[in-house]
């Protein structure tokens, strides 16, 4: 087919699938640039943009892939802005699952188009693709890149992946091994781009720990040793990556939760042998050494960090030699030297805790308090119902049973009052009411049960908890639990 014939076919057809095939023929003739210079291209872009939001699932996605294939050939800033407008409209609403496309290149182009999407549904949509994609590793890594670039922190990316992974069940003869091998691919995709993140907290470490932990006590017996060691090595790399994103995480023992959980795959002797052969443990050991040394020079001690150091460096003489070296570093007070060398018990001569950890520790306490606050709201609602509806009947039908229940209700009210008082001191309060219908946000909401891609409206099952900051601003402490709902009337 000649270039003119290919151009004629591209502009003459109407169906998305036919135009997609015609574009491939243009690419084979190296004539895509000629199509972009043609005055009829605007009509094609309008048609493809419209097709992306209506019609069958595969045709919608093919329309987006075709737009992105054209966009890849655009060079001028003016044309790029024009395409960006069309692509933003094309991905404005939730899309069908990318995996319905059979061509891995098409899946890649749709993933790249998500850079132009701004809806709250995008994180869950791409997280599900990252987990369920069978073979297109480049597309999987690209999905990670898009999310790292779009999100203000890597926390929601890892949290969404962990949530989807916990409910994903491979339909294979050995689901545990299949799941573990898929985790390796996901960790590889994260390795490629996670370091580009600009913010992370210990919540990212907690989510990573959920991803790599054994699913049951028998899991280590169902997976090949080589596969387990790959998971462990990549977990160590990503733990170090999180510290690179935010160095203060090095001084928080919760940062190393992924290593604690991946250790559960090993027998003690297997773990020691693995560490001896694994170069990926060394950067994590350095992170821990530097954190302990930084605290030591401030006169601070942290027993949990020492335990994490022993976990990653191996028990015995190696860890002891390392601590002795730290004790000999300039600027370490004698009291802390004695603690590091084991000649004095743990203490903190200049005050308990660490200045670096105070904020994170308070955040952890606030999270626990937020959960108690939400629980107290449920207890208060239940006790109110008991006092108004159950006790009056009980006093008539079973008078002897009423006083203990009334006493229990009073104790629950006292406990709730104590929690509310403490929450007030921390400026914590509930936001929203059970049953309220709101627009879904993955940052503010956690879906009950299996995540539902593409959902827009949700009903609050349990409210969120927020903290009032100085100046009147607020910080989300605990996401609301929600379930899918129809659009409010």
């Amino acid at each position: 087919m000649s270039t003119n014939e290919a151009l004629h076919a591209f502009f003459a057809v109407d169906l998305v699938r036919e135009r997609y095939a015609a574009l491939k023929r243009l690419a084979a003739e190296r004539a895509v640039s000629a199509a972009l210079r043609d005055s009829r291209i605007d009509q094609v872009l309008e048609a493809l943009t419209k097709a992306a939001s209506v019609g069958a699932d595969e045709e919608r996605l093919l329309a987006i892939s075709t737009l992105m294939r054209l966009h890849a050939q655009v060079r001028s800033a003016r044309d790029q802005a024009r395409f960006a407008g069309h692509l933003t409209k094309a991905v404005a609403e939730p899309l069908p699952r990318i995996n319905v496309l059979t061509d891995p290149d098409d899946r890649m182009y749709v993933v790249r188009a998500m850079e132009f999407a701004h809806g709250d549904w995008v994180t869950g949509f791409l997280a599900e693709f990252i987990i369920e994609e069978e073979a297109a590793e480049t597309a999987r890594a690209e999905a990670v890149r898009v999310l790292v670039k779009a999100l203000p922190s890597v926390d929601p990316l890892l949290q969404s992946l962990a949530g989807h992974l916990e409910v994903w069940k491979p339909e294979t003869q050995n689901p545990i091994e299949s799941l573990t091998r898929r985790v390796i691919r996901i960790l590889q995709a994260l390795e490629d781009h996670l370091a580009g993140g600009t913010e992370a907290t210990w919540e990212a470490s907690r989510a990573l720990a959920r991803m790599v932990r054994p699913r049951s006590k028998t899991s280590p017996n169902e997976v090949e040793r080589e596969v387990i060691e790959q998971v462990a090595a990549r977990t160590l790399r990503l733990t170090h990556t999180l510290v690179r994103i935010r160095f203060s995480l090095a001084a928080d023992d919760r940062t190393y939760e992924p290593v604690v959980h991946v250790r559960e795959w090993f027998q003690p002797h297997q773990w020691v042998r693995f560490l001896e052969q694994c170069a990926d443990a060394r950067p994590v050991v350095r992170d821990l050494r530097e954190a302990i040394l930084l605290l030591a020079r401030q006169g601070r001690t942290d027993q949990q960090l020492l335990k994490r150091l022993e976990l990653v460096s191996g028990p015995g003489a190696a860890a002891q030699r390392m601590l002795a070296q730290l004790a000999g570093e300039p600027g370490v007070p004698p009291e802390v030297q004695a603690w590091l060398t084991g000649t004095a018990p743990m203490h903190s001569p200049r005050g308990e805790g660490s200045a670096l950890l105070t904020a994170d520790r308070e955040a952890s306490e606030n999270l626990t308090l937020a959960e108690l606050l939400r629980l107290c709201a449920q207890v208060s609602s239940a006790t109110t119902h008991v006092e108004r509806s159950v006790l009056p009947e009980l006093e008539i039908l079973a008078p002897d049973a009423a006083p203990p229940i009334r006493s229990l209700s009073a104790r629950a009210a006292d406990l709730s009052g104590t929690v509310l008082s403490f929450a007030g001191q921390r400026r914590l309060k509930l936001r929203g009411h059970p049953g309220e219908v709101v627009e879904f946000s993955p940052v503010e909401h956690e879906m009950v049960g299996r995540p539902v891609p593409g959902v827009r409206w949700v009903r609050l099952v349990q409210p969120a908890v927020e903290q009032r900051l100085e100046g009147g601003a607020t910080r989300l402490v605990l996401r609301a639990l929600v379930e899918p709902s129809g659009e409010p009337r």
Side-chain angles (χ1 to χ4, degrees), residues 436-476:
E436 184 179 352
V437 177
V438 296
E439 196 163 2
F440 179 68
S441 167
V443 175
E444 298 185 359
H445 301 141
E446 180 179 351
M447 195 72 70
V448 174
R450 181 180 176 85
V452 182
V455 68
R456 181 176 181 184
W457 297 100
V458 291
R459 179 180 290 103
L460 295 187
V461 177
Q462 292 190 34
V465 179
E466 63 183 10
Q467 182 181 37
R468 180 171 49 82
L469 306 176
E470 298 294 336
T474 59
R475 174 195 294 135
L476 185 67

Side-chain angles (χ1 to χ4, degrees), residues 15 19 74 82 112 134 139 149-150 209 233 237 272 274 286 305 370 411 448:
L15 297 179
R19 180 159 281 134
V74 170
R82 180 176 53 158
R112 286 179 176 168
E134 292 288 341
K149 180 180 177 181
R237 289 178 213 166
V272 172
F274 166 73
R286 285 198 298 270
L305 283 180
R411 288 175 181 270
V448 174

Side-chain angles (χ1 to χ4, degrees), residues 47-54 59-61 63-64 67 90-91 95:
L48 289 171
T49 302
K50 182 178 179 180
S53 58
V54 296
E59 289 199 354
R60 289 181 63 191
L61 296 174
I64 294 171
L67 278 170
V91 296
L95 296 176

Side-chain angles (χ1 to χ4, degrees), residues 3 33 51 299 305 310 440:
T3 299
S33 58
L305 283 180
E310 183 174 298
F440 179 68

Side-chain angles (χ1 to χ4, degrees), residues 275 281-293 296 305-329 332 336-337 339-342:
L275 290 176
R282 295 168 195 163
V284 181
V285 171
R286 285 198 298 270
D287 293 336
L288 281 158
R289 286 181 73 257
E290 291 303 312
I292 293 170
L293 178 59
L305 283 180
L306 289 193
K307 290 181 179 179
R308 298 294 183 257
L309 179 61
E310 183 174 298
L311 171 70
V312 182
S313 62
Q320 291 175 1
R321 284 195 301 270
M322 207 173 299
L323 294 178
Q325 291 171 358
L326 291 176
E329 290 283 344
V332 178
V336 182
Q337 289 178 353
W339 173 72
L340 287 168
T341 55

Side-chain angles (χ1 to χ4, degrees), residues 31-348:
V32 175
S33 58
L36 291 172
R37 291 192 299 269
D38 195 290
S39 61
R40 295 170 288 178
I41 190 64
D42 286 329
Q43 296 176 354
V44 170
L45 297 181
E46 288 289 348
L48 289 171
T49 302
K50 182 178 179 180
S53 58
V54 296
D57 289 354
E58 188 174 7
E59 289 199 354
R60 289 181 63 191
L61 296 174
L62 280 178
I64 294 171
S65 175
T66 305
L67 278 170
M68 282 301 295
R69 287 173 183 270
L70 289 166
H71 175 263
Q73 302 297 318
V74 170
R75 296 293 177 264
S76 73
R78 179 180 177 182
D79 287 340
Q80 287 181 354
R82 180 176 53 158
F83 268 87
H86 285 288
L87 285 163
T88 300
K89 292 178 183 178
V91 296
E93 297 295 331
L95 296 176
R97 293 172 62 251
I98 302 176
N99 306 78
V100 302
L101 294 172
T102 57
D103 187 333
D105 288 339
D106 287 326
R107 300 200 291 274
M108 167 69 85
Y109 280 115
V110 174
V111 167
R112 286 179 176 168
M114 291 299 101
E115 288 196 68
F116 299 92
H118 305 292
D120 292 334
W121 56 276
V122 176
T123 302
F125 175 74
L126 286 180
E128 186 174 44
F129 169 76
I130 290 168
I131 289 167
E132 296 187 354
E133 173 57 40
E134 292 288 341
E137 299 310 316
T138 306
R140 195 193 317 274
E142 186 70 5
V144 172
R145 184 194 67 80
V146 169
L147 286 176
V148 169
K149 180 180 177 181
L151 294 171
S153 164
V154 301
D155 292 14
L157 164 57
L158 292 174
Q159 289 168 334
S160 187
L161 285 173
H164 282 80
L165 195 61
E166 285 175 341
V167 297
W168 182 66
K169 296 180 179 179
E171 296 180 358
T172 61
Q173 291 183 342
N174 187 341
I176 294 298
E177 172 131 355
S178 299
L179 175 64
T180 309
R181 289 182 180 275
R182 185 61 54 85
V183 168
I184 291 174
R185 296 183 181 185
I186 295 167
L187 296 181
Q188 173 64 60
L190 289 169
E191 283 178 38
D192 291 343
H193 297 290
L194 200 65
T198 58
E199 183 58 89
T201 73
W202 61 271
E203 290 283 7
S205 298
R206 172 180 285 182
L208 179 59
R210 289 166 56 196
M211 293 170 61
V212 301
R213 64 179 177 80
R215 291 299 182 263
S216 69
K217 292 182 179 180
T218 62
S219 293
N221 300 324
E222 301 176 51
V223 181
E224 293 180 8
R225 180 56 43 191
E226 180 183 356
V227 174
I228 292 174
E229 291 184 355
Q230 286 188 51
V231 172
R234 295 186 186 282
T235 299
L236 287 163
R237 289 178 213 166
L238 287 170
T239 299
H240 176 60
T241 297
L242 292 174
V243 174
R244 287 172 58 197
I245 295 173
R246 185 181 180 187
F247 180 70
S248 65
L249 289 176
D252 189 335
D253 63 271
R254 294 170 297 181
T255 301
Y256 308 96
E257 280 188 26
V259 186
V260 174
H261 283 283
V262 85
R263 161 67 180 81
E264 296 170 5
W265 286 94
F266 296 80
Q267 294 294 328
H269 69 282
Q270 294 172 334
W271 179 248
V272 172
R273 187 162 57 245
F274 166 73
L275 290 176
E276 291 172 350
Q277 302 171 353
C278 181
D280 296 300
R282 295 168 195 163
V284 181
V285 171
R286 285 198 298 270
D287 293 336
L288 281 158
R289 286 181 73 257
E290 291 303 312
I292 293 170
L293 178 59
L294 187 62
L295 297 180
R297 284 172 170 164
Q298 299 177 44
R300 312 287 182 177
T301 61
D302 192 316
Q303 191 68 23
Q304 291 303 315
L305 283 180
L306 289 193
K307 290 181 179 179
R308 298 294 183 257
L309 179 61
E310 183 174 298
L311 171 70
V312 182
S313 62
Q320 291 175 1
R321 284 195 301 270
M322 207 173 299
L323 294 178
Q325 291 171 358
L326 291 176
E329 290 283 344
V332 178
E335 312 95 302
V336 182
Q337 289 178 353
W339 173 72
L340 287 168
T341 55
T343 58
M346 176 186 172
H347 62 290
S348 185

